[in-house]
Structures are given as structure tokens and as C-alpha cells.
Amino acid sequence: MPTDVYASRRARVCAALRAAGGGLALLPTAPERPRNADSEHPFRHDSAFFYLTGFAEPGAWLLLDAAGSSLLLCRPKDTEREIWDGYRLGPDTAAATLGIDEALPVALLDEVLPERLANQPAVWFPFGGHDGLAAQVNGWLAAVRSRSRSGIEAPAQQRDLAVVLDEMRLFKDAHEVALMRRAGEIGAAAHVRAMRACRPGLREYELEAELLHEFRRSGASGPAYNSIVAAGRNACILHYQAGSAELGLGGAGDAELEAGELCLIDAGCEYGGYASDITRTFPVNGRYTPAQRTLYELVLTAQEAAISLTRPGARKLDSHWAAIRVLSEGLLELGLLDRNTLGGVDDVVANAAYRRFYMHGTGHWLGLDVHDAGEYSALDEAPVEQADGMGQRVVKKPSRLLQPGMVLTIEPGLYVRPAPDVDERWWHIGIRIEDDALVTPEGCELLSRGAPVRPDDIEALMRK
Ligand code: GLY
Ligand code: MN
Ligand code: MN
């Protein structure tokens, strides 16, 4: 456990709180969630809590005083519970093990909070994402106010801790970059394994099994999100999932993989708490048809345009608009968009006619969460008139400038549903290519390219 990594993050939070006037910050981990009867969903810590502690047990809180001290409240040792549910660190050793100043049993929460909030100028906590937390804080503040006759003052301000933490989490430190490189490698290896295993007659869930096998054998805790394994026309459903009583919700379906069709896999692992998010689209029988290859190469060209604009000095949305431009030009060229009724590429981009075939964003921040924390707009800049992506113009803050240390996905796609004005050879083709990029001083480093992306390379891999 690299306690110095977490200690230095806590120190940075405390410095940010001091610069903003001081106070006490409090942060719970995630709750345990029942699944049914005596079963629980697998526990997943709160990302921000883990970011500041490296502690993955349920039932824990972190308190940070802007002056610089840290306090962990955690579950007590309990022989009976540990026999049934497993090891607990316990408050007696937690402080030393985690490098936190002080640790107490979590049962003391309602006693400790009013004490530590006394005479603080502000209480900081995440305003969203924790049911009931605001009410709990109000309860503790009321307890502090009830002591006002003894000269104790309650914090006059409630402030959103997420504003501080989200901005920090957007810039990955060396420890995070190492974990994300590994998450990218394992995720990519899983895609390679699925491509190798793929053959006509298999079912979607059998490829999902290959992904899971690779994730777990490599030390990833599992998928970072529900894996999408979409055979043929299912690829045109952006968040395709099984959704049947037999297979359960969340996970691949049971459609058969057929020769001549594509398979789209959007899957990434969680490793050391960090996500990869990767999509590849490959031919079930190992060879793209001419129509599939044409659209695939168009999406790949769009991704290359987006990658070249993923560098310091470019704005987050520049890569999106670059991808849209390439896709729109290609769609007009191929007759999927009609020049006679829609005009040229500028018109298609301006009135968002491309959305019929490309209806999602080109990427998002990636980190502890698949859709990671971090502001997308340049909050310190003045609003400007710009396209809203739906064919209208709006006045709002520009998208923010990319800087080294940010990690984001680059994921253009095309999805063609049958329609009378669309040539049948394109019907049901759904393609997405998604890679994970770390912004570097020179440009970006792709963390997921262990999985081939060029059609020739994919075909060669599948022939082996
Ligand atoms: N797999 C979720 C996404 O691509 O955003
Ligand atoms: Mn993504
Ligand atoms: Mn994805």
C-alpha cells in the first residue's frame, strides 16, 4: 500500500480547502447494497473515498481538517463477523497501515462529527452521489448549534467537496497512470482473446466469458461496466445488454454470431480501481465484407482525426468536431446522406444531419469511474456562441483545453438502421472504435492499442 500517494493527495485537498477559507471535509465510502434475501451486490468503494485513502472496506468515513489532519472512521474488529464475512482492518491498526493520523470506530460517527465541526468556518462534503448525506450533515450542524451557549460556533457554510476532488481526479498522477496503463493492457488482451475465440455459431455470452477470463486471470477485479457483446444488428443498439430473465440484466445476450456479420465488443476492466473502456468491431468469420470494410475504414479515419487533436492546446470538443467532419464527408461520399437534399459537409455538420448515423459523443474522461469526474467546460472563460451538437447554436462556455495528465476515450462510430432511403448493403452495420488516451506534453499515448485496430491486422489476428 503506497501510503505516501494517498497522503500527498490528502495534503493537496487540505491545501485547497485552506486556500478556499478552511473548514472540515467529510467523505463516506459507498454503502453496501442488498441484491436479494441475504445476498449483497459485490461491494464497490466510493471512487473519491478510495482516491484519498486506498481503503476498500465498506462502512468507512474520512474526515480532513483543512489545517492538515486526517481521521478515518471504520468498522471495528469483530471475530464473529470476520468468520462470516472476512477480515477487517479495524481502527487500532488502520491509522498506521493507511498512513492516516487517527482512526476511530465508525459507531462514534454521530459523536465525533459535532465535536470536529465545532468552530469550523465551513463543512465540505460531496453534494451529490450519497443518499441522505445532506440530511445527516444538517443533523450534525444542529447538534453543534445546540451548544452555542457554551460559546461554540457552528460552520456558517456548507460547500461542495466534489468541486475540489473532481478537478484533482481529472489530472492523473504517476501512480494512477501506471494503473491505467495496466487496465488498458488487460482490457486490450481481453479483446484479442475474444477475437481469437470468435467463430460462427458461438453466442454473445461465450465471447463475454472470454473477456471475463482474461480480466480475472490478469488480476483485474472484473469489468469496469457491463460488457457489450453485440452480434450483427445488435451493434446498432448503443447500450445493448441481455435483459432477459434467463440471462439476467447486465451482461451479454444470447444471440448467435453469424458468418458475414460483425461483432461489436465494448468492454473494459477495472484494475486497481481504474477503468479501461475499449471497443472493437470485427467480422465474425474473420473477413470484413466490402461494405463493412468501407464503413470501418471511415470510422477509423474519423478516430485518427480525433486522436491527432487529442493534445495539449486543443479543446476537449475539437476531436469530436474533427471526427464528425470526417464521418459527414464520408457519409455524403457514400450516398448515405443525400447531397441533393442536405447540401455539403458544412451543412451536414451545422444542422446535425450526421446524427442519424452518429448520435453520441466522441469521448469522456476516464479514471476511477468509466465516465470519470471532471468539468468539461472552461469555467474560467467567457461564454461564446457555438454549435450545441443538435443542429442549433447556443451561447455557453467553451469546452476546456486539454492538458497533460488527463485521460479520455476516443470513440467515434456509425450505426445504420434499415430505411427506405438507405441502400440495403449498409443495413444493420454498427461500428464503434474506442481507445483510451493519456494526454502527454507532445500529444497523447493510447493505452489500449494492444488490441489491433486496422482491419488488416484484425483479419490477420483472426486467421491465426
Ligand atoms: N462503455 C461505455 C462508454 O463507452 O461510454
Ligand atoms: Mn466510452
Ligand atoms: Mn465503451
Side-chain angles (χ1 to χ4, degrees):
M1 158 78 66
T3 54
D4 55 326
V5 167
Y6 301 100
S8 87
R9 291 180 195 155
R10 290 192 298 271
R12 286 174 55 208
V13 174
C14 290
L17 300 186
R18 280 198 299 279
L24 183 83
L26 54 102
L27 183 60
T29 193
E32 293 178 281
R33 296 185 199 279
R35 184 165 186 264
N36 54 44
D38 291 337
S39 302
E40 312 238 302
H41 282 287
F43 177 70
R44 168 56 159 75
H45 50 258
D46 176 77
S47 293
F49 177 87
F50 183 76
Y51 178 72
L52 295 179
T53 59
F55 188 50
E57 278 187 29
W61 291 69
L62 177 69
L63 269 55
L64 289 178
D65 190 311
S69 64
S70 53
L71 165 66
L72 181 84
L73 292 129
C74 65
R75 301 179 308 178
K77 296 295 284 180
D78 180 332
T79 309
E80 178 71 9
R81 287 301 351 139
E82 289 185 57
I83 287 171
W84 286 92
D85 302 330
Y87 176 78
R88 295 177 173 195
L89 186 56
D92 291 345
T93 43
T97 308
L98 300 171
I100 289 176
D101 296 325
E102 188 186 354
L104 290 170
V106 69
L108 297 180
L109 188 68
D110 287 331
E111 230 172 273
V112 167
L113 255 301
E115 275 169 24
R116 307 275 166 137
L117 284 169
N119 300 319
Q120 289 282 3
V123 53
W124 297 76
F125 62 98
F127 283 5
H130 297 268
D131 288 347
L133 180 56
Q136 261 179 304
V137 170
N138 280 325
W140 294 322
L141 290 174
V144 187
R145 282 186 208 109
S146 72
R147 296 181 202 163
S148 62
R149 262 185 272 168
S150 14
I152 291 169
E153 280 184 44
Q157 285 185 312
Q158 299 190 23
R159 302 189 61 180
D160 190 1
L161 182 62
V163 174
V164 175
L165 296 182
D166 290 1
E167 187 64 13
M168 272 177 69
R169 283 175 54 189
L170 181 52
F171 296 90
K172 273 62 181 177
D173 59 34
H175 180 74
E176 297 183 284
V177 167
L179 291 170
M180 293 198 75
R181 282 206 181 99
R182 186 72 188 123
E185 273 168 19
I186 297 169
H191 280 261
V192 168
R193 186 182 182 99
M195 285 179 202
R196 285 214 169 107
C198 187
R199 57 178 193 278
L202 287 188
R203 293 188 181 265
E204 292 166 333
Y205 58 75
E206 292 179 86
L207 290 189
E208 182 189 30
E210 300 293 333
L211 301 168
L212 292 172
H213 180 101
E214 194 64 32
F215 291 164
R216 291 299 281 146
R217 73 183 278 275
S218 308
S221 55
Y225 53 93
N226 292 329
S227 305
I228 296 170
V229 181
R233 65 185 59 193
N234 291 335
C236 293
I237 304 168
L238 298 180
H239 291 161
Y240 172 65
Q241 295 287 296
S244 74
E246 295 77 29
L247 293 166
L249 265 176
D254 62 355
E256 192 171 319
L257 296 151
E258 289 184 29
E261 290 191 336
L262 292 173
C263 177
L264 180 155
I265 295 185
D266 182 345
C269 67
E270 186 169 288
Y271 179 81
Y274 287 80
S276 52
D277 181 5
I278 308 172
T279 308
R280 291 292 183 266
T281 312
F282 51 92
V284 168
N285 59 335
R287 262 193 94 93
Y288 293 92
T289 65
Q292 290 165 354
R293 189 178 260 263
T294 300
L295 288 193
Y296 188 95
E297 280 172 348
L298 179 53
V299 176
L300 188 56
T301 308
Q303 201 208 27
E304 279 158 6
I307 290 168
S308 69
L309 280 169
T310 301
R311 54 170 167 75
R315 292 189 185 272
K316 168 72 185 68
L317 276 181
D318 290 350
S319 53
H320 179 55
W321 291 114
I324 283 172
R325 219 173 158 80
V326 171
L327 293 173
S328 299
E329 267 162 8
L331 290 167
L332 286 166
E333 198 81 15
L334 297 171
L336 274 150
L337 290 175
D338 180 22
R339 250 183 236 286
N340 296 325
T341 50
L342 296 168
V345 63
D346 290 333
D347 305 299
V348 165
V349 172
N351 56 33
Y354 59 83
R355 283 188 65 83
R356 183 170 175 201
F357 303 111
Y358 181 46
M359 60 300 277
H360 58 75
T362 304
H364 49 82
W365 308 133
L366 181 71
L368 288 160
D369 298 342
V370 177
H371 290 193
D372 205 33
E375 176 59 50
Y376 283 86
S377 302
L379 294 182
D380 52 350
E381 293 185 40
V384 289
E385 193 192 310
Q386 56 190 293
D388 71 349
M390 307 291 286
Q392 305 295 320
R393 306 285 296 171
V394 287
V395 175
K396 60 173 188 175
K397 303 235 175 206
S399 96
R400 74 187 287 169
L401 291 164
L402 295 178
Q403 290 172 257
M406 294 172 159
V407 179
L408 64 161
T409 66
I410 307 174
E411 50 177 307
L414 282 176
Y415 313 89
V416 188
R417 287 171 176 268
D421 61 337
V422 172
D423 191 320
E424 257 186 75
R425 71 197 176 113
W426 310 118
W427 286 13
H428 302 300
I429 297 181
I431 293 165
R432 180 163 62 257
I433 305 173
E434 178 173 27
D435 282 286
D436 304 341
L438 165 69
V439 181
T440 62
E442 299 77 34
C444 70
E445 173 189 335
L446 298 176
L447 308 178
S448 45
R449 279 293 170 95
V453 70
R454 290 180 36 234
D456 288 348
D457 295 342
I458 289 176
E459 289 183 352
L461 174 82
M462 294 184 75
R463 266 198 302 276
K464 272 197 217 149

